[in-house]
Amino acid sequence: MGIQERKEREKERRRQQIIVAAKKVFSDKGFNRATMDDIANEAELSPGTLYLYFKNKEELYASLSIRILQYLNIRVEQISGAKELQPDQKLDAMIEAMFDVYEFDPLVIINMFHLQSSETLKNLSPQVMDEIKDLSRKSIGGISKIFAEGAKKGIFIKRHPVALSDTFWAFFSGIILWSTSKKIINKDKDYLKKTLGIGFEIFRQGIKIKSRS
Amino acid sequence: MGIQERKEREKERRRQQIIVAAKKVFSDKGFNRATMDDIANEAELSPGTLYLYFKNKEELYASLSIRILQYLNIRVEQISGAKELQPDQKLDAMIEAMFDVYEFDPLVIINMFHLQSSETLKNLSPQVMDEIKDLSRKSIGGISKIFAEGAKKGIFIKRHPVALSDTFWAFFSGIILWSTSKKIINKDKDYLKKTLGIGFEIFRQGIKIKSRS
Amino acid sequence: MGIQERKEREKERRRQQIIVAAKKVFSDKGFNRATMDDIANEAELSPGTLYLYFKNKEELYASLSIRILQYLNIRVEQISGAKELQPDQKLDAMIEAMFDVYEFDPLVIINMFHLQSSETLKNLSPQVMDEIKDLSRKSIGGISKIFAEGAKKGIFIKRHPVALSDTFWAFFSGIILWSTSKKIINKDKDYLKKTLGIGFEIFRQGIKIKSRS
Amino acid sequence: MGIQERKEREKERRRQQIIVAAKKVFSDKGFNRATMDDIANEAELSPGTLYLYFKNKEELYASLSIRILQYLNIRVEQISGAKELQPDQKLDAMIEAMFDVYEFDPLVIINMFHLQSSETLKNLSPQVMDEIKDLSRKSIGGISKIFAEGAKKGIFIKRHPVALSDTFWAFFSGIILWSTSKKIINKDKDYLKKTLGIGFEIFRQGIKIKSRS
DNA sequence: GATGAATGAGTATTCATTCAT
DNA sequence: TATGAATGAATACTCATTCAT
């Protein structure tokens, strides 16, 4: 039993070791130019070993998304379930969470997009795909609830909550991607934050129902 | 003279023939999985011929962006220079223009992102790169002017116009990319439009200064 | 008749125009890296036109050799037939002729070697091949006669004259090729001449029968 | 340790296996028409494997030269350092060595010339280039010493030893190349030997200072 | 489990040659 | 005759994946 367990833990450590290496390499080179050899070197393992833990390159890449989605999910659940917060406060908290997600892994967005490509999906094992779908659904659902609650209380505009949730995510993605592609990130990290800030401010203002004074 | 001209026109037709084929193939498979042979087949030409009109794969891809940027630019200039329109009306017109740009070529955004990759830029000929840079600058500039004018007239929030312009573009990109990656486009074209609609409404509301009544 | 003749002359001029261009381009880039387009550009003609005058790239290249072989042949015949000269004086004259051949076209040797490749020969039209063979045979024959005469008169060592002739040519080739490959030519033209000088001196001394004094 | 060593030996065997195949294919087809696939087939390996042992086609080709240069070098050093031999005996030994070099690999000369091309040099890794340069320098140096010694002792003509060394090499190259290009080698191996023999005899006689009797 | 050597399918690009005008 | 646009075969090199050890 103890041995079984230790083995299990050892195995998990290996997975993490690979994931960390993969994150670095994919970050540096992007999916296409990153090679399995690069990742193996970074992880100080042999290429063959990677295939003991991940079915293929796509699935290794996908697993990076799972990690970040898990993190996001925890945050969303906390915020969504916080009874002491009003919808607009929850929205602010969500925005803050998004910042953190981005800091945790700036590749998030690119990962997420890559993941959706039908070619990619073909190469994933069902269980990995299911986990991703499940996590995505939960996250979107959690955010939706905030918008629904806000609409119900007359604080936010009345729109289909899932559509709003998508829009929120799309907005966030857009700014990050745009900034990234303009190579602003490395040179002027603040510019991205500022842009994200402006963006979220606009979003916040845009969905608020103005209280008449 | 007539001959010269006819040849010129013939040549331009070929370019378009290739561009149309490239657009289709890149749309279907993305940059990396699209092969020059695919494009040649689609264009009913030989692979060698592609290289008579475009220096390499990257430059062929880039030329798709140039085409759409040119279209966008015309629209931006018209709107930006329309003296009879108020800033908020111009913003509405811009949003409409963005819709049209998207309809003209749903790949826009992906093209634009691909274009920014440093690896891509290396393979472009200077003149192509200059044209792209010039067109981008003009478009962003035109949109900025609208925000600046709106801010001056007290209709829009006061923020750095270029940052707003970036945000506007990022927002637009985000929604398209997100929808695209969710493969919503083909299945439910209206959902994308709806999402874009909601998004822009939020944006519009978000930057408006509310007149107190 | 006059028209016929003028056409003929016009045609010959074109051939020369192409040959001159080809010589330059092959000199600069070598056979493999020189393209038919390069040559067409240099000749200010279209690529298609080259094929009206030469069957293919190989044959165009071969015709450069014919030109130089023709020149060499004239010199050999003059020297070989000069009754007022002794064999050793003829050898000196031959050496001088070789210098001139080299100055006329430093590519000679490389041309000659390329020509011998069986792959090349396959692509030549029979008449071109015959001309080359004929010219080669004549040149070698002419030189051989000098050695034979020298041997007969007890001035040169007694060896098979054709073998000596080959050796003479090989020696000459070797020095030029070696110098060329060491890129000495362009930088230090004199070094090549000096080396050729030393080489020929050795050769001259090597085949002389020393008169005892 | 044993394992490490066996692997090392295995690896070296593979290199040799490839080199042998490459030698054959390059011999048959020349550098340009030989394809990496040809070589892979000949070596009964996959094309990809070749690249595990050699950076590229050029470097594979170059390594053939290194092999023969190493062999030559050993011979040169032995001869040059043999105190019991007189300069003229050393020259004879050198000539014999040249025969052996040629027998070891008749491509020597062509390799050496190919190697000098600037295009080739660009694709070689520095360490390979350095090794080649070093080996060449040593060989030429060793031969030069013999000529210098001979001149000092009044046996050979007084000429710049490096120039003589170049001439010696050029002479050797010329005969081989000429014979090879005339495809004499395969058909009449003896003719080449005879020609080489005559050539070297001429060379020997040409640089000797005649003792007056 | 771990290795890493070997695999071999996949692809952008070039360029001699052709042929409709 | 001359053109030059179009052709398409040919090829070096990469890299995800496998499998014998």
Side-chain angles (χ1 to χ4, degrees):
Chain A
M1 194 176 76
I3 288 176
Q4 191 69 9
E5 211 175 299
R6 204 182 315 150
K7 273 192 180 175
E8 210 52 45
R9 226 178 283 163
E10 184 57 36
K11 206 169 164 180
E12 186 50 32
R13 195 187 318 177
R14 268 290 146 89
R15 271 186 71 91
Q16 289 309 319
Q17 180 185 0
I18 296 172
I19 283 185
V20 168
K23 184 171 150 183
K24 172 156 176 39
V25 176
F26 283 132
S27 272
D28 290 352
K29 310 200 170 185
F31 182 78
N32 278 295
R33 267 167 313 108
T35 72
M36 290 302 266
D37 266 39
D38 290 338
I39 297 169
N41 281 335
E42 179 70 31
E44 294 182 327
L45 290 168
S46 83
T49 306
L50 303 188
Y51 287 85
L52 296 176
Y53 293 88
F54 299 92
K55 206 183 102 202
N56 54 35
K57 195 183 175 188
E58 299 282 0
E59 194 152 321
L60 173 51
Y61 195 82
S63 68
L64 302 186
S65 295
I66 290 182
R67 212 159 154 248
I68 187 75
L69 276 175
Q70 285 169 334
Y71 174 78
L72 174 62
N73 233 25
I74 293 168
R75 296 291 296 264
V76 170
E77 274 175 16
Q78 281 177 343
I79 296 168
S80 187
K83 296 185 180 168
E84 73 282 10
L85 297 180
Q86 285 303 307
D88 51 351
Q89 290 173 311
K90 284 183 179 174
L91 179 60
D92 288 349
M94 263 313 303
I95 287 171
E96 209 173 311
M98 290 311 249
F99 265 118
D100 294 345
V101 162
Y102 168 75
E103 301 247 298
F104 182 73
D105 184 356
L107 270 187
V108 213
I109 301 302
I110 295 168
N111 284 359
M112 300 299 292
F113 287 135
H114 181 90
L115 213 56
Q116 313 283 349
S117 130
S118 58
E119 284 303 313
T120 303
L121 296 176
K122 258 192 262 172
N123 291 317
L124 297 182
S125 56
Q127 74 209 62
V128 168
M129 234 183 69
D130 287 347
E131 187 164 9
I132 288 174
K133 276 188 187 168
D134 188 49
L135 286 168
S136 296
R137 215 178 306 120
K138 275 190 198 159
S139 296
I140 294 287
I143 304 176
S144 298
K145 266 203 280 182
I146 299 174
F147 291 124
E149 191 191 345
K152 203 171 151 196
K153 294 197 176 175
I155 302 177
F156 293 161
I157 58 172
K158 282 191 163 52
R159 289 291 190 178
H160 188 63
V162 171
L164 277 184
S165 187
D166 271 354
T167 310
F168 179 70
W169 180 260
F171 203 4
F172 173 65
S173 316
I175 291 173
I176 289 183
L177 266 182
W178 190 244
S179 305
T180 308
S181 76
K182 283 180 102 177
K183 299 288 163 200
I184 283 166
I185 284 187
N186 302 318
K187 295 177 198 158
D188 181 2
K189 221 170 175 175
D190 283 342
Y191 183 78
L192 172 65
K193 282 209 166 180
K194 223 187 299 171
T195 314
L196 264 177
I198 297 175
F200 282 132
E201 184 194 328
I202 293 173
F203 189 89
R204 203 192 286 115
Q205 290 299 328
I207 70 161
K208 255 188 205 160
I209 301 283
K210 309 303 145 160
S211 54
R212 324 167 206 173
S213 54
Chain B
M1 193 179 79
I3 289 174
Q4 191 69 10
E5 211 175 297
R6 202 181 317 150
K7 274 192 180 174
E8 210 50 46
R9 225 177 285 163
E10 184 58 35
K11 212 168 160 179
E12 186 50 32
R13 194 185 319 178
R14 265 295 142 86
R15 269 186 71 91
Q16 289 309 321
Q17 180 185 359
I18 295 172
I19 282 185
V20 167
K23 187 170 146 179
K24 173 157 174 37
V25 176
F26 282 132
S27 273
D28 290 353
K29 310 200 169 185
F31 182 79
N32 279 294
R33 264 167 317 103
T35 73
M36 290 304 265
D37 269 35
D38 289 339
I39 297 170
N41 281 337
E42 178 69 32
E44 293 181 329
L45 290 168
S46 80
T49 306
L50 304 188
Y51 288 85
L52 295 178
Y53 293 88
F54 299 92
K55 206 183 99 204
N56 54 36
K57 195 182 173 186
E58 299 282 0
E59 195 150 319
L60 173 51
Y61 195 82
S63 69
L64 303 185
S65 295
I66 289 183
R67 210 159 153 247
I68 187 74
L69 276 175
Q70 284 169 335
Y71 174 78
L72 174 63
N73 231 26
I74 293 168
R75 294 293 295 267
V76 170
E77 275 176 15
Q78 280 176 345
I79 295 168
S80 187
K83 294 184 182 169
E84 73 280 10
L85 297 179
Q86 286 303 308
D88 52 351
Q89 291 173 310
K90 283 184 180 174
L91 180 60
D92 288 350
M94 263 312 302
I95 288 171
E96 209 173 311
M98 291 309 249
F99 266 117
D100 294 346
V101 163
Y102 169 74
E103 301 245 298
F104 183 72
D105 183 357
L107 269 186
V108 215
I109 300 303
I110 294 168
N111 284 359
M112 299 298 294
F113 287 135
H114 180 90
L115 215 54
Q116 313 282 350
S117 129
S118 57
E119 283 303 310
T120 303
L121 296 176
K122 259 193 264 172
N123 291 317
L124 297 182
S125 56
Q127 75 208 60
V128 167
M129 237 183 68
D130 287 348
E131 188 164 6
I132 289 175
K133 278 187 186 168
D134 188 49
L135 286 168
S136 297
R137 217 178 304 122
K138 275 190 197 159
S139 295
I140 294 286
I143 303 175
S144 299
K145 264 202 283 184
I146 298 174
F147 292 123
E149 191 191 345
K152 205 174 149 194
K153 293 198 175 174
I155 302 176
F156 294 161
I157 58 172
K158 282 191 165 52
R159 289 292 190 178
H160 188 62
V162 171
L164 279 184
S165 188
D166 271 355
T167 310
F168 179 70
W169 181 260
F171 201 5
F172 172 66
S173 315
I175 292 174
I176 289 184
L177 266 183
W178 189 244
S179 305
T180 308
S181 75
K182 282 180 103 176
K183 296 291 164 197
I184 284 165
I185 284 188
N186 302 317
K187 295 178 197 158
D188 181 1
K189 219 171 176 176
D190 283 343
Y191 182 79
L192 172 66
K193 281 210 168 180
K194 224 186 298 171
T195 315
L196 264 176
I198 297 175
F200 281 133
E201 186 193 326
I202 294 173
F203 189 89
R204 203 193 285 114
Q205 291 299 328
I207 71 160
K208 254 189 208 160
I209 301 284
K210 311 302 147 162
S211 55
R212 328 166 201 172
S213 54
Chain C
M1 193 177 80
I3 288 176
Q4 192 68 9
E5 207 175 302
R6 204 182 315 151
K7 274 191 179 175
E8 211 50 45
R9 225 176 287 163
E10 183 58 34
K11 206 169 162 178
E12 186 51 30
R13 194 185 321 175
R14 268 290 144 89
R15 273 186 69 90
Q16 288 310 318
Q17 180 184 359
I18 295 171
I19 282 184
V20 167
K23 184 170 149 183
K24 174 160 175 36
V25 176
F26 283 132
S27 274
D28 290 353
K29 310 199 169 186
F31 182 78
N32 278 294
R33 266 168 315 108
T35 72
M36 291 302 266
D37 266 40
D38 289 338
I39 297 169
N41 281 335
E42 179 68 31
E44 294 181 329
L45 290 168
S46 83
T49 305
L50 303 188
Y51 287 85
L52 296 177
Y53 294 87
F54 299 90
K55 205 183 103 202
N56 53 37
K57 195 183 173 187
E58 299 282 359
E59 194 152 322
L60 172 52
Y61 195 82
S63 69
L64 302 186
S65 296
I66 291 183
R67 212 158 152 247
I68 187 74
L69 276 176
Q70 284 170 335
Y71 173 79
L72 174 62
N73 231 27
I74 292 168
R75 296 291 296 264
V76 170
E77 274 176 17
Q78 281 177 346
I79 295 168
S80 187
K83 296 185 181 170
E84 72 280 11
L85 298 179
Q86 286 303 308
D88 52 351
Q89 291 174 308
K90 284 184 181 175
L91 180 60
D92 288 351
M94 263 314 302
I95 288 170
E96 208 172 312
M98 290 311 250
F99 266 118
D100 294 346
V101 163
Y102 169 75
E103 301 246 299
F104 181 73
D105 183 357
L107 270 186
V108 214
I109 300 303
I110 295 169
N111 284 0
M112 299 300 291
F113 287 135
H114 182 89
L115 213 55
Q116 314 282 350
S117 129
S118 57
E119 285 302 312
T120 303
L121 295 176
K122 261 192 257 171
N123 291 316
L124 297 183
S125 56
Q127 75 208 61
V128 167
M129 236 183 68
D130 287 347
E131 188 164 8
I132 288 175
K133 278 188 185 166
D134 187 49
L135 286 168
S136 297
R137 215 177 307 120
K138 275 190 197 160
S139 295
I140 294 286
I143 302 175
S144 298
K145 265 203 281 184
I146 298 174
F147 291 124
E149 190 191 345
K152 204 173 151 195
K153 295 198 174 174
I155 301 176
F156 293 160
I157 59 172
K158 283 191 164 50
R159 289 290 190 177
H160 188 64
V162 171
L164 278 185
S165 187
D166 272 352
T167 310
F168 179 70
W169 180 260
F171 202 4
F172 173 65
S173 316
I175 292 174
I176 289 184
L177 266 183
W178 189 244
S179 305
T180 309
S181 74
K182 282 180 103 178
K183 299 287 164 202
I184 284 165
I185 285 189
N186 302 317
K187 295 179 199 159
D188 182 1
K189 220 171 175 175
D190 283 343
Y191 183 79
L192 172 66
K193 283 209 166 179
K194 224 185 298 171
T195 314
L196 264 176
I198 296 175
F200 281 132
E201 186 193 328
I202 293 174
F203 189 88
R204 203 194 288 115
Q205 290 299 328
I207 71 162
K208 253 188 208 162
I209 300 285
K210 311 300 145 166
S211 55
R212 327 168 203 171
S213 53
Chain D
M1 194 179 78
I3 289 176
Q4 192 68 8
E5 210 175 297
R6 201 181 318 150
K7 274 192 179 175
E8 211 51 46
R9 225 178 285 163
E10 184 59 35
K11 213 167 161 180
E12 187 50 32
R13 194 186 318 180
R14 264 297 142 86
R15 270 186 71 93
Q16 289 310 319
Q17 180 184 0
I18 295 171
I19 282 186
V20 168
K23 186 170 147 182
K24 173 158 175 38
V25 176
F26 283 133
S27 273
D28 290 352
K29 312 201 168 184
F31 181 79
N32 278 294
R33 263 165 321 101
T35 71
M36 290 303 265
D37 269 36
D38 289 340
I39 297 170
N41 281 336
E42 179 68 31
E44 293 182 327
L45 290 169
S46 79
T49 305
L50 304 188
Y51 289 87
L52 295 178
Y53 293 87
F54 300 91
K55 205 184 100 203
N56 53 36
K57 195 182 173 186
E58 299 283 359
E59 196 150 319
L60 173 52
Y61 195 82
S63 69
L64 303 185
S65 295
I66 289 183
R67 214 160 149 246
I68 187 71
L69 276 175
Q70 283 169 335
Y71 175 77
L72 174 61
N73 230 27
I74 292 168
R75 296 293 294 264
V76 170
E77 274 176 18
Q78 281 177 344
I79 296 169
S80 189
K83 295 184 181 168
E84 72 281 10
L85 297 178
Q86 285 302 309
D88 51 351
Q89 290 173 309
K90 284 183 180 174
L91 180 60
D92 289 349
M94 263 313 302
I95 287 170
E96 208 173 311
M98 290 312 247
F99 266 117
D100 295 345
V101 163
Y102 169 76
E103 301 245 299
F104 182 74
D105 182 357
L107 270 187
V108 213
I109 300 303
I110 295 170
N111 284 0
M112 299 298 295
F113 287 136
H114 179 90
L115 216 53
Q116 313 281 350
S117 132
S118 56
E119 284 302 311
T120 303
L121 296 176
K122 257 191 266 171
N123 291 317
L124 297 183
S125 55
Q127 76 208 61
V128 168
M129 236 183 67
D130 287 348
E131 187 163 8
I132 288 175
K133 277 187 185 167
D134 187 50
L135 286 168
S136 297
R137 216 178 306 121
K138 274 191 198 158
S139 295
I140 294 285
I143 304 175
S144 298
K145 264 202 284 184
I146 298 174
F147 292 124
E149 191 191 344
K152 205 172 149 195
K153 294 198 174 173
I155 302 178
F156 295 160
I157 57 172
K158 282 191 165 50
R159 290 290 192 178
H160 189 64
V162 172
L164 278 184
S165 187
D166 272 352
T167 309
F168 179 70
W169 181 262
F171 202 6
F172 172 66
S173 315
I175 291 174
I176 289 182
L177 265 182
W178 190 244
S179 306
T180 308
S181 75
K182 283 180 103 177
K183 297 289 163 198
I184 285 167
I185 284 186
N186 302 318
K187 295 179 198 159
D188 180 2
K189 222 169 174 177
D190 284 343
Y191 184 78
L192 172 65
K193 282 210 168 180
K194 223 187 300 170
T195 315
L196 263 177
I198 297 175
F200 282 132
E201 186 193 328
I202 293 174
F203 189 88
R204 204 191 287 115
Q205 291 299 329
I207 72 160
K208 255 188 206 160
I209 300 283
K210 312 299 147 169
S211 55
R212 324 167 204 173
S213 53

